[in-house]
Amino acid sequence: MATLSPLSFLATTKVSLCSPSNAPNRHRIAKVSCNASNPQEQQSPQNNNNIILGNRRDVLVGLGGLSAVAAANFSYNPFASAEPVAPDVEGCNKPTLPPGAKPIACCPPNFEKKESIDYIIPNYETLRIRKPAHDYDDLEKYKEAVKIMKSLPDDHPHSWTQQSRVHCAYCGNSYHQHGHTEVAMQVHNSWIFLPFHRWYLYFYERILGKLIDDPNFAIPFWNWDAPEGMEIPSIFTDKSSPLYNALRNHNHQPPTLINLNWNGADVDRSGDVGENLAIMYRQATSLSPYSSKTGSGSIELVPHNTVHDWIGDTTQPNFEDMGALYSAARDPIFYGHHANIDRMWSIWKSFGRNDITDPDYQNASYVFYDENENLVRVKNSDAFDTKKLGYDYKQLDLPWLDAKPTPRVANAQRNIRIVKKLDLPFTLLKDKIVSTVVKRPKINRSQVEKDDKEESLVFSLQFDRTKHLKFDVLINEEEDYKWANPKYREFAGSFVNVSHAASPDAAVTETTFSIGITGLLEQLDADDEESIVVTLVPQYGDEVIVKDITISFDECDLQ
């Protein structure tokens, strides 16, 4: 495996990368802190090979980190209050569902009748090791545990119905934020996305172990970031197995490869290994899976959202089950998918990133039933270390580290089209590619300036959050056609929306998302250009209104 080049970051965490003076293995990593003078070596839990970090301008040139940051007029803001996020357990309501969804109740049983207690993490002497689903040796145990779970009455806290409804309640506006009945709690499109889902999988795994009397039982992860794991794992395709679900895209069954950059077209039935690895290179080594309080991090948009859409059954109103967040956890593959998302967080942190120290993030909390049917309250700060929670992931090679995108056209041969600046706002319609010119406030920044602030392309958008939506962003592409290939550097990133519950008042959401372009412009030899050509390539979904496109220079510090 080739040496990983220096990391490039967006402005979400305080960072300063230094190159260690000696490397015992082929790769090394450094701890990250702003203006760090003595970076400490940290071993990756996912790969015995370390990673060399030097000048930060290489790994993520282009996407850097794709994030969606809620605008001031976000339709509903789960962080509108001044306190850390916490659900109002006594006020759980029916969810607000996307059009065409059958009415359901998602609140767990008897929450309002029980008082929650602070969860005390057991002292684990043996780690549960989560293994890839394509090489999983505990299948019979897993099938038996899920079979038992599905046999329990629907109103039992450990039943399959209730486990799936936990996700629905936390993403479908069933909960309001504690003390603020006007604020709906939402675990997606925000920095609580990763820790919430880590806790969710944790209790799912513990409950399954309890049902089969095996405290060391570990769920598998769907290893879609490696060639050998890019098909739907066979453990989920056996129609006689409790791990099977009928509501999936029938065009995407094995041997079809997953398309982590899926464009929604039925003719695009199989993914490409090289493109998938290029996507993972961009996303998994990107600046931040956290993003801001009210925006999606890079991993949530791609591949989290794209995998949900790729799996979902297109014959259903909202691509149920996996293709709609309220129903996604009905499909057993959901837990394998999210286990790999959780693994990506661990890998991302192994590259030297620090956890967010903002008290609002650290103290955000959730309530679950544990394996003993206790109603327990947990918080983010206890979820940062998987080993503290008693589990780890099997160490695997990371083939996407060698999949750095390259320019489609050599710089010497580049002939950028003459494009005029579009009047704003404008409507991005399906099947209509749009290009515009965006003026850069500053050119030829020094390396110190680049290390201090990321140049980011910022989009202000308005769209219907109940609808599936995806468009790609190209920078300085010389031709006007729908190629949008992530293996090429001109491909800057994507905005992806999975069908969410509407806000209590309206489905229309206003939000912004940004793409770090400092390294991308260097790669395209455009650092001295006063303007850049930005091309938006709609892939699927209804129209989106682009209210503004600007350049910002973001501090390397979210805290």
Side-chain angles (χ1 to χ4, degrees):
M1 182 178 293
T3 299
L4 178 63
S5 302
L7 295 175
S8 173
F9 290 81
L10 265 180
T12 53
T13 47
K14 184 178 288 186
V15 297
S16 174
L17 300 184
C18 304
S19 179
S21 59
N22 53 69
N25 296 319
R26 287 180 293 170
H27 310 302
R28 295 185 57 150
I29 63 173
K31 265 189 178 177
V32 178
S33 61
C34 197
N35 300 320
S37 57
N38 295 298
Q40 301 176 23
E41 186 178 333
Q42 177 180 334
Q43 178 69 32
S44 166
Q46 305 304 324
N47 194 338
N48 286 325
N49 297 322
N50 287 330
I51 299 168
I52 294 176
L53 301 185
N55 184 297
R56 72 190 187 104
R57 259 325 113 213
D58 197 15
V59 168
L60 293 183
V61 291
L63 186 57
L66 181 59
S67 62
V69 184
N73 56 352
F74 193 66
S75 295
Y76 67 105
N77 185 350
F79 298 90
S81 68
E83 301 116 71
V85 170
D88 182 358
V89 174
E90 296 181 357
C92 190
N93 304 298
K94 288 185 178 180
T96 55
L97 303 177
K102 296 179 180 179
I104 56 173
C106 290
C107 297
N110 301 318
F111 256 38
E112 71 283 357
K113 298 179 182 179
K114 300 186 71 170
E115 184 174 349
S116 64
I117 59 176
D118 289 337
Y119 183 64
I120 299 176
I121 301 172
N123 183 19
Y124 294 107
E125 296 182 358
T126 302
L127 290 179
R128 306 182 301 280
I129 302 299
R130 295 179 180 175
K131 300 174 183 178
H134 67 269
D135 188 27
Y136 185 58
D137 55 9
D138 276 336
L139 177 57
E140 294 307 315
K141 287 184 178 180
Y142 194 17
K143 289 164 60 176
E144 178 63 20
V146 172
K147 180 180 178 181
I148 295 172
M149 182 177 279
K150 287 187 173 183
S151 71
L152 296 174
D154 284 351
D155 61 355
H156 192 288
H158 291 170
S159 74
W160 182 261
T161 297
Q162 290 304 329
Q163 288 305 300
S164 68
R165 288 180 178 178
V166 168
H167 194 253
C168 172
Y170 276 99
C171 74
N173 302 331
S174 288
Y175 292 125
H176 293 109
Q177 187 168 332
H178 183 72
H180 299 272
T181 58
E182 76 284 1
V183 181
M185 185 171 185
Q186 173 59 253
V187 298
H188 299 89
N189 302 118
S190 76
W191 62 0
I192 64 175
F193 168 75
L194 288 169
F196 166 81
H197 285 86
R198 175 166 287 180
W199 277 121
Y200 181 29
L201 292 186
Y202 170 83
F203 287 114
Y204 171 74
E205 184 175 73
R206 294 285 293 164
I207 290 170
L208 291 173
K210 179 78 170 184
L211 293 176
I212 57 174
D213 194 27
D214 183 358
N216 295 321
F217 172 77
I219 60 174
F221 63 90
W222 180 8
N223 188 205
W224 34 245
D225 60 301
E228 57 270 26
M230 288 182 183
E231 295 180 7
I232 294 180
S234 60
I235 69 172
F236 299 112
T237 60
D238 178 1
K239 293 183 179 181
S240 66
S241 169
L243 301 179
Y244 177 76
N245 187 56
L247 295 184
R248 294 175 187 158
N249 190 319
H250 298 293
N251 290 330
H252 294 166
Q253 301 306 302
T256 301
L257 297 184
I258 194 168
N259 187 337
L260 298 181
N261 191 48
W262 188 51
N263 66 11
D266 283 340
V267 295
D268 184 17
R269 295 182 178 179
S270 188
D272 175 87
V273 170
E275 290 186 17
N276 284 339
L277 295 179
I279 283 290
M280 289 310 305
Y281 179 93
R282 294 170 182 273
Q283 300 302 99
T285 59
S286 64
L287 168 61
S288 180
Y290 306 109
S291 188
S292 71
K293 288 186 177 182
T294 51
S296 300
S298 58
I299 290 295
E300 183 177 2
L301 288 177
V302 180
H304 170 262
N305 285 359
T306 49
V307 171
H308 270 279
D309 278 348
W310 188 84
I311 289 289
D313 188 345
T314 55
T315 69
Q316 300 301 306
N318 304 286
F319 295 6
E320 287 91 345
D321 282 331
M322 274 285 282
L325 295 181
Y326 83 93
S327 61
R330 298 172 183 171
D331 190 336
I333 205 170
F334 169 92
Y335 303 93
H337 172 44
H338 267 276
N340 207 31
I341 293 293
D342 183 69
R343 174 174 166 260
M344 289 301 113
W345 185 17
S346 293
I347 292 172
W348 186 88
K349 289 176 63 176
S350 79
F351 292 162
R353 281 77 163 209
N354 295 327
D355 291 305
I356 297 173
T357 59
D358 188 314
D360 283 353
Y361 179 78
Q362 293 263 333
N363 295 320
S365 64
Y366 325 98
V367 175
F368 297 92
Y369 274 113
D370 70 4
E371 68 272 24
N372 298 313
E373 299 183 38
N374 297 313
L375 189 61
V376 295
R377 185 174 297 276
V378 296
K379 58 183 180 179
N380 281 358
S381 59
D382 288 329
F384 297 155
D385 183 356
T386 65
K387 292 181 180 179
K388 178 180 177 181
L389 296 178
Y391 74 92
D392 201 353
Y393 290 95
K394 182 178 179 179
Q395 293 184 4
L396 301 175
D397 286 335
L398 305 176
W400 38 265
L401 291 180
D402 294 315
K404 177 182 176 181
T406 58
R408 189 179 69 83
V409 179
N411 292 335
Q413 301 172 339
R414 189 173 298 279
N415 182 23
I416 303 301
R417 293 169 293 129
I418 298 176
V419 175
K420 70 176 184 178
K421 179 178 176 60
L422 295 179
D423 293 332
L424 292 164
F426 65 84
T427 300
L428 183 64
L429 301 173
K430 183 170 59 175
D431 298 327
K432 184 174 176 58
I433 297 172
V434 173
S435 294
T436 187
V437 172
V438 178
K439 184 175 178 59
R440 298 173 63 207
K442 191 172 183 178
I443 64 174
N444 291 324
R445 294 190 300 149
S446 69
Q447 191 60 53
V448 172
E449 290 176 304
K450 292 177 181 179
D451 288 343
D452 183 52
K453 294 183 179 181
E454 177 75 22
E455 183 172 356
S456 298
L457 187 63
V458 182
F459 299 82
S460 296
L461 308 174
Q462 181 176 301
F463 62 97
D464 184 343
R465 68 182 284 112
T466 68
K467 305 295 184 181
H468 295 267
L469 171 69
K470 181 177 187 286
F471 66 84
D472 299 325
V473 180
L474 312 181
I475 302 296
N476 282 3
E477 167 54 36
E478 67 169 5
E479 298 183 40
D480 186 7
Y481 66 99
K482 197 172 182 177
W483 63 270
N485 192 320
K487 289 192 289 188
Y488 299 127
R489 181 54 60 197
E490 292 87 347
F491 181 96
S494 305
F495 180 80
V496 184
N497 183 65
V498 177
S499 178
H500 284 55
S503 76
D505 300 319
V508 175
T509 291
E510 293 191 2
T511 189
T512 69
F513 87 99
S514 62
I515 299 174
I517 60 173
T518 301
L520 181 151
L521 296 177
E522 291 178 353
Q523 278 277 310
L524 297 179
D525 199 23
D527 209 23
D528 59 349
E529 298 291 335
E530 294 184 353
S531 299
I532 57 174
V533 175
V534 177
T535 300
L536 306 183
V537 184
Q539 295 294 351
Y540 57 81
D542 292 340
E543 65 183 39
V544 55
I545 297 175
V546 181
K547 303 185 71 174
D548 202 5
I549 306 177
T550 58
I551 298 287
S552 73
F553 296 95
D554 303 316
E555 296 285 350
C556 296
D557 187 5
L558 178 66
Q559 302 175 23

